[in-house]
Amino acid sequence: MPDKYAVIGNPVAHSKSPLIHAEFARQTGEDVKYVAMLATHSDFEAAVERFRSEGGRGMNVTLPFKHRAHALAQKRSRRAEQALAVNTLAFESGAIHGDNTDGVGLVRDLTVNLGRVLRGQRTLLMGAGGASYGVCGPLLDEHPAELVVANRTKSKALALCEHFRSLHPAARGVSGCSYEELAGRRFDLVINATSASLGGEMPELPPAVFAPGALAYDMLYSRSTPFLEFARAQGVQAADGLGMLVEQAAESFRIWRGVGPDTAPVIAMLRL
Ligand code: ATR
């Protein structure tokens, strides 16, 4: 009997996670069955408990339930505490463990797949919602020269900075601002963690925001977003979030199975 895992969310039918984990299982020879599970607003916790009581070994949690998964977990990793959100549940020895692999997924895509060194880089993170909370800690672990969090609603950027300052030893160089306040500033790495791309929009960035040789990264996995097109028009290298998606899945797989899959062929397969 294979060990059972699932991704739970709403909506969830579009999720690539079952395909990604099937590839990881095939590659590593792990006996794993991974399915997508739709939950409603009223039955998320009950659905997790049911899956667990039926022998499920772990779950990925996607929107809009990452905060509720954080509350449900009985033990939480440091990165889950920093993110205030959980995307990976592991059911072990009677307890529900919560972790967050989004940030490490982003960092691995940037450093391993895209070959960037993050230490000493002037880094701009756009957005101050759940996606930004998820990646801030692992970005700070890499010791950028500075981490500026810009947001349309400046107060939310300031609140995010305050949260990380209280939790992360390397958070002294973190500051929050509005997009207008970016005028005259340049960054080596610009990450879009807003949901603006979903609506075909982008935050109002000054075109001179990219330093020579900069990388523009959109956490959405779509080859073309307004932000990526804007960056390409400035002659800047642009990358979407497909690699992050596969890397966060690989980290979940590692947590559950203790083996690390090879992500490159899976990324290549999804690019086809
Ligand atoms: P999530 O938790 O899924 O990240 P969220 O908390 O609604 O969702 O955050 C979405 C982020 O995208 C916010 O930073 C939001 O900016 P505001 O805090 O000012 O709302 C940002 N965002 C969404 N649409 C945007 C747009 N068109 N331009 C700029 N920022 C946008």
Side-chain angles (χ1 to χ4, degrees), residues 63 127-131 151-153 156 179 194-196 201-203:
L63 299 177
N151 197 44
R152 188 171 56 179
T153 313
K156 282 170 68 180
Y179 292 111
T194 72
S195 51
E201 296 178 353
M202 64 168 278

Side-chain angles (χ1 to χ4, degrees), residues 119-134:
R119 179 177 279 273
Q121 297 288 286
R122 292 164 294 175
T123 303
L124 171 62
L125 181 64
M126 297 192 286
S132 291
Y133 276 82

Side-chain angles (χ1 to χ4, degrees), residues 72-144:
L72 189 63
Q74 292 148 339
K75 293 182 179 171
R76 288 184 287 261
S77 68
R78 170 176 170 266
R79 52 200 188 187
E81 290 297 15
Q82 289 178 356
L84 299 176
V86 156
N87 79 334
T88 305
L89 295 170
F91 307 136
E92 287 162 11
S93 50
I96 302 178
H97 291 251
D99 204 336
N100 192 310
T101 65
D102 287 328
V104 82
L106 170 66
V107 166
R108 286 216 181 103
D109 195 32
L110 291 168
T111 57
V112 180
N113 302 329
L114 295 164
R116 292 273 167 162
V117 174
L118 304 185
R119 179 177 279 273
Q121 297 288 286
R122 292 164 294 175
T123 303
L124 171 62
L125 181 64
M126 297 192 286
S132 291
Y133 276 82
V135 300
C136 234
L139 282 175
L140 286 167
D141 289 343
E142 298 295 307
H143 299 282

Side-chain angles (χ1 to χ4, degrees), residues 20 24 109 113 240 242-247 262-272:
I20 294 170
F24 290 166
D109 195 32
N113 302 329
D240 74 3
L242 180 66
M244 174 180 172
L245 175 74
V246 175
E247 294 297 342
D262 184 5
T263 51
V266 182
I267 296 171
M269 179 194 79
L270 291 172
R271 281 257 178 252
L272 287 178

